[in-house]
Amino acid sequence: MKHVLMIIAAGFLFVRVAAAVPQSDSEIKKDFETRYSVLMKSVEAASTLDEIKKVKADIDALEKEFAQHKAFLDKALYPDDFAKSFETLRGRVTYSEEKTAAVEAQTKKVGELETEVKSLTEQVDKLSNENAAILVQIHFLESERVKDRKKIEQLQGLVSKLQKNIADRDNMIFNIADSLFLQFDKPTMTPADEKQKMIAFEKNNILSSVKRAIDDNVTFLKSTTLSGEDVIKLKDEQKKFDGHWKGVGSKLAAMYLTSKEKAQQVPLIDSMIADWSRHAEKAFWKTLNEEFTHHNLAVQPFTDGETFYQNVTRFIDNQTNNVDNIRDDLRYAIYSSFADTVWGARIAPIWLPLLKKDGVITENRVSDIKARMDIWKGKVKASNYIIYILLVGVIVIITLVVFARMNKVKVPEA
Amino acid sequence: MKRILIAAAALSLFGCSSLMLQPADFSWPVESVLKADSKGMVSDTRFAVSFSIAPLMTAERGPAQNPAGATVRLIRDREGFYYITAPAFTHVYVFTVCDGGLKQYRKIEIGKTAMADPKLNQRDSFIELLNGSDKCALTKEGIMEGEKK
């Protein structure tokens, strides 16, 4: 296209040089308009910064060549004048230059992203395999009632690394999708452009990458070694992924209108994400419940914010109302385990922020739980005070008895 | 009595004199090259003018001439006169606007042989006619003295 335009431009130049006869004003106007039109097409066809640079030089040359006819062209060109015509043309060049620069930068970035994604995917594969192997080892050690601390720490480290890499990889996939959409973001898309866009998405395996990312995340969620922090992060990751997919998915659905097979992939991914969301939700509540059960606190299992509040308050109320029926040495231990070890050290700083952020639990309900805990604490301490008073009383009596005996023994010596 | 009649006549003449807007410039910066449609009509979108060239083609080439598809070159001078010519013409026609049409003001003979490729240019005080390497200056009255080359 570029060469054709150059040949046409050169042809006009030759005709002008060869013409020995006087040129009429209408010919000057027509000549100008034709060459202007060729340059305008060249601007639109330019796809590299070098091509744009060449067009800019051609525009300068055209302006210089027709400057002698400026007074005439100011009147003859309609509705623009000579200066306005070049202003318009250069405006297009600037737009095209910015667009081309953006596309070139984006293409470079996409290339970098592809490499990064490839590298990350390899890392994730490696980590996933390592993780699977260590999980098998841990299960074996647990079944043998042996706790290999070093191995567990190693696994935890790998899980954290894998989690970070999966999150990075997820972001990368959507970055690539966004970049590709940006790359093919044109005011008017021809069928050829649409086809090229689809090919680019196919080449970058966007749909399969998204599906794999979902699979990886779900597999990760099903891991038995996830901590509360891990589950919270994964739930957050699921929400971010869902948000990204809503943006990209609708564009992909529009893009694949002509491809029935590909179009079916979009609702399939929607359902995979919904499934992932269910898994994330289930893992979230299960892990939160385990915070209590791992400390032998018999809070009934819960599956949502409502049952969480109901079961936790029921547990506190039961403990408060049955303080007298619990062994003396256990009363305070149970309270301390709940209030300090679980609620104070785990639930309040780690879980509650997310529960509040998601609107799962209100500030009023949290205050209500704290108030009930205070009542429980009061009862536990009251019973402790009686024990302390009794103990002090016993110690005083024993001391008095001892002193009395000692005095009794000393009298005969005197 | 005599004075009264003179004053009345003077007032009457003053009331009848038409309003003139001057100076005015009707010149087109560049000629329009217009192609006739199947009905022999030509039209210029920029200057919003259209008319039939059928009578012109008949006058120049005879009654058998079909004007459809014919190309004419049209320009308007500073005073508002239209100059029309076309390939194979020997004349440039000068028209002025009249009620619902253009009325011939002058028919300027350029030569005995038909022009191959006539073109009209707007110049400060005249219309320039080019025909190949020949050129001459035209006014509504005809070829300017000493200007034909």
Side-chain angles (χ1 to χ4, degrees):
Chain A
M1 181 66 186
K2 184 185 147 196
H3 294 295
V4 173
L5 292 171
M6 284 173 70
I7 290 165
I8 292 168
F12 280 111
L13 187 68
F14 173 75
V15 169
R16 269 190 50 72
V17 170
V21 292
Q23 198 178 19
S24 76
D25 290 349
S26 63
E27 281 172 334
I28 293 170
K29 179 174 177 266
K30 194 177 174 187
D31 185 16
F32 178 83
E33 285 174 337
T34 309
R35 291 172 65 186
Y36 183 90
S37 171
V38 168
L39 281 177
M40 190 63 95
K41 282 176 186 166
S42 299
V43 172
E44 283 163 11
S47 58
T48 66
L49 290 175
D50 285 342
E51 285 175 10
I52 288 173
K53 197 176 169 185
K54 167 78 175 65
V55 175
K56 281 165 100 174
D58 290 346
I59 292 169
D60 291 343
L62 182 74
E63 189 177 27
K64 196 175 173 185
E65 186 182 333
F66 281 85
Q68 59 179 317
H69 303 297
K70 183 181 178 301
F72 160 67
L73 289 171
D74 276 345
K75 291 179 188 172
L77 297 174
Y78 179 81
D80 292 341
D81 59 17
F82 187 73
K84 178 74 181 163
S85 298
F86 281 98
E87 193 182 308
T88 305
L89 193 53
R90 290 195 170 103
R92 292 284 183 92
V93 170
T94 305
Y95 171 74
S96 187
E97 196 170 22
E98 286 170 358
K99 195 177 73 176
T100 306
V103 168
E104 283 191 2
Q106 210 60 42
T107 307
K108 191 183 168 195
K109 194 180 170 190
V110 166
E112 290 168 0
L113 284 172
E114 277 177 351
T115 311
E116 278 181 30
V117 166
K118 195 180 170 192
S119 163
L120 270 175
T121 308
E122 284 169 2
Q123 282 182 49
V124 169
D125 285 346
K126 191 181 165 192
L127 286 170
S128 299
N129 292 336
E130 281 177 13
N131 194 32
I134 294 168
L135 276 173
V136 170
Q137 202 178 349
I138 285 293
H139 286 314
F140 172 74
L141 290 172
E142 280 177 345
S143 67
E144 292 291 314
R145 302 277 178 192
V146 175
K147 298 285 181 187
D148 188 335
R149 191 172 183 81
K150 196 180 168 189
K151 290 278 182 189
I152 292 169
E153 280 175 1
Q154 188 185 355
L155 175 66
Q156 284 169 345
L158 284 169
V159 165
S160 298
K161 196 176 174 188
L162 180 63
Q163 189 172 28
K164 186 184 175 299
N165 284 350
I166 283 180
D168 286 347
R169 200 270 308 270
D170 292 351
N171 280 333
M172 291 290 174
I173 292 166
F174 289 111
N175 279 343
I176 292 172
D178 288 343
S179 301
L180 288 171
F181 279 122
L182 190 70
Q183 191 180 341
F184 290 93
D185 183 20
K186 293 179 183 176
T188 49
M189 291 285 285
T190 63
D193 290 335
E194 293 285 0
K195 194 177 175 186
Q196 210 179 354
K197 187 175 168 183
M198 270 203 269
I199 290 168
F201 272 83
E202 285 306 297
K203 191 183 158 196
N204 287 281
N205 298 318
I206 297 298
L207 286 174
S208 52
S209 294
V210 169
K211 284 196 281 187
R212 188 180 166 185
I214 297 168
D215 279 341
D216 284 354
N217 276 286
V218 172
T219 306
F220 196 27
L221 263 175
K222 288 177 181 170
S223 165
T224 56
T225 56
L226 296 177
S227 67
E229 288 90 337
D230 291 337
V231 171
I232 288 170
K233 280 181 192 166
L234 285 176
K235 190 167 184 271
D236 198 42
E237 178 61 23
Q238 193 277 328
K239 283 188 173 180
K240 278 186 195 164
F241 197 99
D242 193 22
H244 277 134
W245 172 250
K246 279 191 170 72
V248 170
S250 58
K251 287 182 187 173
L252 285 173
M255 188 178 83
Y256 287 131
L257 277 177
T258 52
S259 171
K260 196 179 173 186
E261 188 209 344
K262 295 291 171 193
Q264 286 171 348
Q265 299 291 309
V266 177
L268 173 67
I269 290 172
D270 285 340
S271 69
M272 285 175 78
I273 290 179
D275 191 43
W276 175 14
S277 174
R278 279 191 292 276
H279 274 101
E281 201 69 17
K282 196 175 165 187
F284 179 85
W285 293 112
K286 180 174 168 276
T287 313
L288 178 54
N289 194 235
E290 283 168 0
E291 294 282 5
F292 297 103
T293 55
H294 280 172
H295 291 88
N296 297 319
L297 298 167
V299 175
Q300 287 297 303
F302 37 80
T303 53
D304 53 32
E306 182 61 32
T307 52
F308 168 75
Y309 169 74
Q310 295 296 343
N311 294 354
V312 167
T313 51
R314 189 178 298 127
F315 174 80
I316 296 170
D317 291 347
N318 283 341
Q319 292 297 318
T320 309
N321 297 331
N322 291 307
V323 164
D324 297 336
N325 302 329
I326 299 170
R327 267 172 39 207
D328 296 346
D329 57 330
L330 279 179
R331 284 176 195 158
Y332 195 78
I334 295 171
Y335 170 78
S336 177
S337 179
F338 183 91
D340 303 327
T341 313
V342 177
W343 192 268
R346 301 284 305 163
I347 308 293
I350 298 167
W351 294 86
L352 278 185
L354 187 71
L355 291 170
K356 286 183 195 170
K357 187 179 143 197
D358 288 355
V360 172
I361 193 163
T362 62
E363 194 62 57
N364 284 344
R365 285 195 159 185
V366 173
S367 301
D368 181 50
I369 291 171
K370 281 181 186 167
R372 288 170 196 251
M373 283 164 64
D374 287 341
I375 296 169
W376 181 15
K377 186 181 179 183
K379 282 219 173 184
V380 170
K381 281 196 171 175
S383 59
N384 278 355
Y385 289 144
I386 295 165
I387 293 166
Y388 293 147
I389 290 163
L390 288 172
L391 278 173
V392 170
V394 169
I395 290 165
V396 168
I397 291 165
I398 291 168
T399 311
L400 287 172
V401 169
V402 170
F403 271 108
R405 284 191 178 177
M406 283 174 72
N407 288 337
K408 213 175 180 180
V409 172
K410 283 177 183 175
V411 171
E413 287 178 0
Chain B
M1 184 63 187
K2 192 179 177 183
R3 284 182 183 173
I4 292 167
L5 285 173
I6 291 168
L11 279 171
S12 169
L13 282 170
F14 181 76
C16 289
S17 66
S18 55
L19 186 65
M20 287 284 283
L21 303 179
Q22 284 183 315
D25 183 356
F26 297 97
S27 62
W28 291 2
V30 66
E31 68 177 340
S32 289
V33 182
L34 308 172
K35 191 172 183 181
D37 64 14
S38 58
K39 292 176 182 171
M41 290 291 290
V42 291
S43 59
D44 182 280
T45 50
R46 178 174 170 184
F47 298 105
V49 60
S50 67
F51 52 86
S52 169
I53 61 164
L56 179 69
M57 300 309 277
T58 304
E60 181 70 18
R61 295 178 184 169
Q65 185 67 37
N66 180 7
T71 298
V72 295
R73 307 180 88 93
L74 173 72
I75 198 165
R76 200 174 188 194
D77 71 6
R78 195 177 281 267
E79 293 172 85
F81 287 92
Y82 289 96
Y83 294 69
I84 307 175
T85 190
F89 274 30
T90 53
H91 299 88
V92 172
Y93 292 81
V94 183
F95 289 91
T96 184
V97 178
C98 69
D99 291 343
L102 293 173
K103 183 182 174 187
Q104 184 180 309
Y105 177 80
R106 194 77 67 201
K107 183 178 179 183
I108 305 167
E109 188 179 65
I110 304 302
K112 296 295 176 193
T113 54
M115 292 181 283
D117 186 20
K119 287 152 194 166
L120 300 165
N121 288 338
Q122 185 69 246
R123 296 291 175 254
D124 285 345
S125 56
F126 59 91
I127 298 295
E128 184 181 61
L129 170 71
L130 300 178
N131 180 34
S133 57
D134 296 334
K135 58 180 175 180
C136 65
L138 306 174
T139 67
K140 66 179 189 292
E141 303 302 340
I143 299 170
M144 284 173 78
E145 286 298 319
E147 291 291 338
K148 189 169 182 180
K149 293 173 186 174

